[in-house]
mmCIF file of all heavy atoms in Angstrom:
data_model
loop_
_atom_site.group_PDB
_atom_site.id
_atom_site.type_symbol
_atom_site.label_atom_id
_atom_site.label_comp_id
_atom_site.label_asym_id
_atom_site.label_seq_id
_atom_site.Cartn_x
_atom_site.Cartn_y
_atom_site.Cartn_z
ATOM 1 N N ASP A 266 82.669 95.857 168.362
ATOM 2 C CA ASP A 266 81.933 94.706 168.873
ATOM 3 C C ASP A 266 81.384 93.892 167.695
ATOM 4 O O ASP A 266 80.544 93.030 167.869
ATOM 5 C CB ASP A 266 80.817 95.129 169.836
ATOM 6 C CG ASP A 266 79.706 95.926 169.180
ATOM 7 O OD1 ASP A 266 79.838 96.299 168.004
ATOM 8 O OD2 ASP A 266 78.694 96.189 169.854
ATOM 9 N N MET A 267 81.883 94.188 166.496
ATOM 10 C CA MET A 267 81.453 93.491 165.287
ATOM 11 C C MET A 267 82.001 92.068 165.245
ATOM 12 O O MET A 267 83.104 91.822 165.731
ATOM 13 C CB MET A 267 81.960 94.212 164.033
ATOM 14 C CG MET A 267 81.309 95.513 163.737
ATOM 15 S SD MET A 267 82.008 96.227 162.222
ATOM 16 C CE MET A 267 80.905 97.584 161.981
ATOM 17 N N PRO A 268 81.256 91.168 164.608
ATOM 18 C CA PRO A 268 81.808 89.841 164.341
ATOM 19 C C PRO A 268 83.039 89.969 163.436
ATOM 20 O O PRO A 268 83.150 90.930 162.669
ATOM 21 C CB PRO A 268 80.678 89.112 163.613
ATOM 22 C CG PRO A 268 79.447 89.904 163.881
ATOM 23 C CD PRO A 268 79.881 91.306 164.150
ATOM 24 N N GLU A 269 83.941 89.023 163.522
ATOM 25 C CA GLU A 269 85.220 89.079 162.819
ATOM 26 C C GLU A 269 85.071 89.368 161.324
ATOM 27 O O GLU A 269 85.738 90.257 160.790
ATOM 28 C CB GLU A 269 85.973 87.759 163.016
ATOM 29 C CG GLU A 269 87.322 87.706 162.341
ATOM 30 C CD GLU A 269 88.390 88.517 163.063
ATOM 31 O OE1 GLU A 269 88.163 88.945 164.199
ATOM 32 O OE2 GLU A 269 89.451 88.732 162.463
ATOM 33 N N GLU A 270 84.210 88.648 160.638
ATOM 34 C CA GLU A 270 84.058 88.826 159.187
ATOM 35 C C GLU A 270 83.568 90.234 158.846
ATOM 36 O O GLU A 270 84.089 90.884 157.939
ATOM 37 C CB GLU A 270 83.094 87.782 158.625
ATOM 38 C CG GLU A 270 82.996 87.800 157.119
ATOM 39 C CD GLU A 270 82.101 86.687 156.575
ATOM 40 O OE1 GLU A 270 82.103 85.583 157.133
ATOM 41 O OE2 GLU A 270 81.404 86.962 155.586
ATOM 42 N N MET A 271 82.589 90.722 159.583
ATOM 43 C CA MET A 271 82.069 92.072 159.349
ATOM 44 C C MET A 271 83.142 93.120 159.661
ATOM 45 O O MET A 271 83.288 94.098 158.932
ATOM 46 C CB MET A 271 80.828 92.336 160.201
ATOM 47 C CG MET A 271 80.245 93.728 160.020
ATOM 48 S SD MET A 271 78.907 94.108 161.168
ATOM 49 C CE MET A 271 77.538 93.352 160.324
ATOM 50 N N ARG A 272 83.893 92.907 160.739
ATOM 51 C CA ARG A 272 84.950 93.844 161.118
ATOM 52 C C ARG A 272 86.000 93.965 160.032
ATOM 53 O O ARG A 272 86.392 95.065 159.649
ATOM 54 C CB ARG A 272 85.622 93.412 162.427
ATOM 55 C CG ARG A 272 86.737 94.365 162.857
ATOM 56 C CD ARG A 272 87.479 93.862 164.074
ATOM 57 N NE ARG A 272 88.171 92.611 163.851
ATOM 58 C CZ ARG A 272 89.356 92.492 163.239
ATOM 59 N NH1 ARG A 272 89.977 93.556 162.790
ATOM 60 N NH2 ARG A 272 89.907 91.316 163.097
ATOM 61 N N VAL A 273 86.432 92.834 159.498
ATOM 62 C CA VAL A 273 87.451 92.845 158.446
ATOM 63 C C VAL A 273 86.928 93.574 157.214
ATOM 64 O O VAL A 273 87.612 94.432 156.646
ATOM 65 C CB VAL A 273 87.902 91.412 158.105
ATOM 66 C CG1 VAL A 273 88.761 91.386 156.855
ATOM 67 C CG2 VAL A 273 88.648 90.804 159.286
ATOM 68 N N GLU A 274 85.714 93.254 156.788
ATOM 69 C CA GLU A 274 85.124 93.921 155.615
ATOM 70 C C GLU A 274 84.976 95.423 155.838
ATOM 71 O O GLU A 274 85.263 96.225 154.944
ATOM 72 C CB GLU A 274 83.758 93.316 155.290
ATOM 73 C CG GLU A 274 83.824 91.942 154.682
ATOM 74 C CD GLU A 274 82.441 91.417 154.320
ATOM 75 O OE1 GLU A 274 81.658 92.171 153.709
ATOM 76 O OE2 GLU A 274 82.160 90.255 154.650
ATOM 77 N N THR A 275 84.542 95.809 157.024
ATOM 78 C CA THR A 275 84.340 97.220 157.328
ATOM 79 C C THR A 275 85.667 97.971 157.365
ATOM 80 O O THR A 275 85.780 99.077 156.823
ATOM 81 C CB THR A 275 83.585 97.382 158.664
ATOM 82 O OG1 THR A 275 82.356 96.653 158.587
ATOM 83 C CG2 THR A 275 83.296 98.848 158.953
ATOM 84 N N MET A 276 86.680 97.369 157.983
ATOM 85 C CA MET A 276 87.994 98.013 158.030
ATOM 86 C C MET A 276 88.566 98.177 156.622
ATOM 87 O O MET A 276 89.127 99.225 156.292
ATOM 88 C CB MET A 276 88.945 97.216 158.912
ATOM 89 C CG MET A 276 88.610 97.329 160.389
ATOM 90 S SD MET A 276 89.700 96.359 161.446
ATOM 91 C CE MET A 276 91.171 97.378 161.404
ATOM 92 N N GLU A 277 88.432 97.152 155.788
ATOM 93 C CA GLU A 277 88.921 97.253 154.406
ATOM 94 C C GLU A 277 88.185 98.351 153.657
ATOM 95 O O GLU A 277 88.784 99.118 152.901
ATOM 96 C CB GLU A 277 88.777 95.910 153.702
ATOM 97 C CG GLU A 277 89.755 94.865 154.183
ATOM 98 C CD GLU A 277 89.524 93.485 153.577
ATOM 99 O OE1 GLU A 277 88.537 93.296 152.830
ATOM 100 O OE2 GLU A 277 90.337 92.598 153.878
ATOM 101 N N LEU A 278 86.889 98.447 153.848
ATOM 102 C CA LEU A 278 86.093 99.497 153.216
ATOM 103 C C LEU A 278 86.540 100.882 153.696
ATOM 104 O O LEU A 278 86.689 101.810 152.890
ATOM 105 C CB LEU A 278 84.609 99.280 153.523
ATOM 106 C CG LEU A 278 83.646 100.361 153.051
ATOM 107 C CD1 LEU A 278 83.703 100.528 151.540
ATOM 108 C CD2 LEU A 278 82.238 100.025 153.514
ATOM 109 N N CYS A 279 86.776 101.030 154.989
ATOM 110 C CA CYS A 279 87.219 102.320 155.544
ATOM 111 C C CYS A 279 88.568 102.729 154.970
ATOM 112 O O CYS A 279 88.771 103.891 154.612
ATOM 113 C CB CYS A 279 87.285 102.247 157.063
ATOM 114 S SG CYS A 279 85.673 102.129 157.856
ATOM 115 N N VAL A 280 89.484 101.780 154.858
ATOM 116 C CA VAL A 280 90.805 102.078 154.290
ATOM 117 C C VAL A 280 90.665 102.500 152.834
ATOM 118 O O VAL A 280 91.249 103.504 152.410
ATOM 119 C CB VAL A 280 91.745 100.860 154.419
ATOM 120 C CG1 VAL A 280 92.999 101.054 153.592
ATOM 121 C CG2 VAL A 280 92.101 100.626 155.872
ATOM 122 N N THR A 281 89.883 101.763 152.070
ATOM 123 C CA THR A 281 89.672 102.089 150.657
ATOM 124 C C THR A 281 89.096 103.493 150.501
ATOM 125 O O THR A 281 89.571 104.285 149.692
ATOM 126 C CB THR A 281 88.734 101.060 150.002
ATOM 127 O OG1 THR A 281 89.324 99.764 150.114
ATOM 128 C CG2 THR A 281 88.479 101.383 148.542
ATOM 129 N N ALA A 282 88.071 103.798 151.283
ATOM 130 C CA ALA A 282 87.417 105.112 151.189
ATOM 131 C C ALA A 282 88.363 106.239 151.612
ATOM 132 O O ALA A 282 88.424 107.276 150.951
ATOM 133 C CB ALA A 282 86.155 105.128 152.043
ATOM 134 N N CYS A 283 89.102 106.030 152.692
ATOM 135 C CA CYS A 283 90.016 107.076 153.175
ATOM 136 C C CYS A 283 91.178 107.301 152.220
ATOM 137 O O CYS A 283 91.669 108.423 152.090
ATOM 138 C CB CYS A 283 90.525 106.729 154.574
ATOM 139 S SG CYS A 283 89.256 106.898 155.849
ATOM 140 N N GLU A 284 91.606 106.252 151.542
ATOM 141 C CA GLU A 284 92.670 106.412 150.543
ATOM 142 C C GLU A 284 92.136 107.078 149.281
ATOM 143 O O GLU A 284 92.778 107.948 148.707
ATOM 144 C CB GLU A 284 93.302 105.057 150.213
ATOM 145 C CG GLU A 284 94.186 104.532 151.320
ATOM 146 C CD GLU A 284 94.757 103.150 151.024
ATOM 147 O OE1 GLU A 284 94.227 102.438 150.130
ATOM 148 O OE2 GLU A 284 95.725 102.775 151.705
ATOM 149 N N LYS A 285 90.946 106.675 148.852
ATOM 150 C CA LYS A 285 90.356 107.230 147.638
ATOM 151 C C LYS A 285 90.024 108.715 147.794
ATOM 152 O O LYS A 285 90.209 109.505 146.872
ATOM 153 C CB LYS A 285 89.091 106.454 147.271
ATOM 154 C CG LYS A 285 88.435 106.908 145.997
ATOM 155 C CD LYS A 285 87.271 106.023 145.607
ATOM 156 C CE LYS A 285 86.655 106.483 144.301
ATOM 157 N NZ LYS A 285 85.551 105.599 143.881
ATOM 158 N N PHE A 286 89.520 109.079 148.966
ATOM 159 C CA PHE A 286 89.121 110.462 149.225
ATOM 160 C C PHE A 286 89.993 111.053 150.335
ATOM 161 O O PHE A 286 89.490 111.535 151.351
ATOM 162 C CB PHE A 286 87.642 110.525 149.618
ATOM 163 C CG PHE A 286 86.713 110.022 148.562
ATOM 164 C CD1 PHE A 286 86.109 108.783 148.677
ATOM 165 C CD2 PHE A 286 86.444 110.787 147.439
ATOM 166 C CE1 PHE A 286 85.243 108.307 147.702
ATOM 167 C CE2 PHE A 286 85.574 110.332 146.455
ATOM 168 C CZ PHE A 286 84.976 109.089 146.586
ATOM 169 N N ALA A 287 91.291 111.026 150.127
ATOM 170 C CA ALA A 287 92.253 111.447 151.154
ATOM 171 C C ALA A 287 92.059 112.888 151.602
ATOM 172 O O ALA A 287 92.365 113.233 152.735
ATOM 173 C CB ALA A 287 93.674 111.244 150.647
ATOM 174 N N THR A 288 91.528 113.724 150.744
ATOM 175 C CA THR A 288 91.354 115.138 151.092
ATOM 176 C C THR A 288 89.892 115.522 151.306
ATOM 177 O O THR A 288 89.577 116.698 151.460
ATOM 178 C CB THR A 288 91.952 116.045 150.001
ATOM 179 O OG1 THR A 288 91.290 115.769 148.758
ATOM 180 C CG2 THR A 288 93.447 115.808 149.851
ATOM 181 N N ASN A 289 88.994 114.535 151.308
ATOM 182 C CA ASN A 289 87.571 114.833 151.438
ATOM 183 C C ASN A 289 86.902 113.797 152.348
ATOM 184 O O ASN A 289 86.394 112.780 151.874
ATOM 185 C CB ASN A 289 86.921 114.851 150.046
ATOM 186 C CG ASN A 289 85.511 115.381 150.083
ATOM 187 O OD1 ASN A 289 84.833 115.350 151.116
ATOM 188 N ND2 ASN A 289 85.038 115.870 148.946
ATOM 189 N N ASN A 290 86.894 114.068 153.642
ATOM 190 C CA ASN A 290 86.311 113.135 154.613
ATOM 191 C C ASN A 290 84.817 112.922 154.395
ATOM 192 O O ASN A 290 84.303 111.835 154.646
ATOM 193 C CB ASN A 290 86.554 113.628 156.042
ATOM 194 C CG ASN A 290 88.006 113.577 156.435
ATOM 195 O OD1 ASN A 290 88.812 112.915 155.780
ATOM 196 N ND2 ASN A 290 88.346 114.261 157.501
ATOM 197 N N GLU A 291 84.131 113.945 153.923
ATOM 198 C CA GLU A 291 82.691 113.825 153.696
ATOM 199 C C GLU A 291 82.396 112.787 152.609
ATOM 200 O O GLU A 291 81.498 111.955 152.763
ATOM 201 C CB GLU A 291 82.098 115.174 153.318
ATOM 202 C CG GLU A 291 80.587 115.159 153.215
ATOM 203 C CD GLU A 291 79.989 116.531 152.953
ATOM 204 O OE1 GLU A 291 80.681 117.550 153.125
ATOM 205 O OE2 GLU A 291 78.808 116.563 152.572
ATOM 206 N N SER A 292 83.154 112.814 151.525
ATOM 207 C CA SER A 292 82.970 111.836 150.446
ATOM 208 C C SER A 292 83.344 110.430 150.902
ATOM 209 O O SER A 292 82.681 109.458 150.547
ATOM 210 C CB SER A 292 83.809 112.217 149.228
ATOM 211 O OG SER A 292 83.335 113.417 148.667
ATOM 212 N N ALA A 293 84.395 110.323 151.715
ATOM 213 C CA ALA A 293 84.797 109.015 152.248
ATOM 214 C C ALA A 293 83.696 108.452 153.138
ATOM 215 O O ALA A 293 83.337 107.278 153.035
ATOM 216 C CB ALA A 293 86.106 109.133 153.014
ATOM 217 N N ALA A 294 83.137 109.287 154.015
ATOM 218 C CA ALA A 294 82.060 108.849 154.910
ATOM 219 C C ALA A 294 80.827 108.427 154.115
ATOM 220 O O ALA A 294 80.184 107.426 154.434
ATOM 221 C CB ALA A 294 81.703 109.968 155.888
ATOM 222 N N LYS A 295 80.512 109.181 153.060
ATOM 223 C CA LYS A 295 79.352 108.848 152.218
ATOM 224 C C LYS A 295 79.560 107.499 151.537
ATOM 225 O O LYS A 295 78.640 106.673 151.487
ATOM 226 C CB LYS A 295 79.139 109.947 151.181
ATOM 227 C CG LYS A 295 77.913 109.743 150.330
ATOM 228 C CD LYS A 295 77.693 110.907 149.376
ATOM 229 C CE LYS A 295 76.457 110.660 148.545
ATOM 230 N NZ LYS A 295 76.203 111.740 147.593
ATOM 231 N N MET A 296 80.771 107.250 151.034
ATOM 232 C CA MET A 296 81.070 105.972 150.385
ATOM 233 C C MET A 296 80.920 104.809 151.370
ATOM 234 O O MET A 296 80.314 103.785 151.046
ATOM 235 C CB MET A 296 82.487 105.996 149.822
ATOM 236 C CG MET A 296 82.913 104.691 149.188
ATOM 237 S SD MET A 296 84.638 104.794 148.644
ATOM 238 C CE MET A 296 84.981 103.063 148.359
#
């Protein structure tokens, strides 16, 4: 239910974190 700009930024951040910490979900969530 996020505004478009916030949604795009959040999705990009989630992708970056999940790629950076591919084997550590806790570190990705913290980032």
Side-chain angles (χ1 to χ4, degrees):
D266 66 352
M267 289 180 171
E269 181 75 12
E270 186 176 324
M271 179 187 277
R272 180 185 63 80
V273 170
E274 287 183 47
T275 304
M276 288 179 75
E277 288 174 355
L278 174 60
C279 291
V280 168
T281 300
C283 288
E284 287 177 342
K285 183 174 182 178
F286 299 105
T288 59
N289 190 337
N290 292 344
E291 186 175 345
S292 294
K295 184 176 180 181
M296 177 183 166

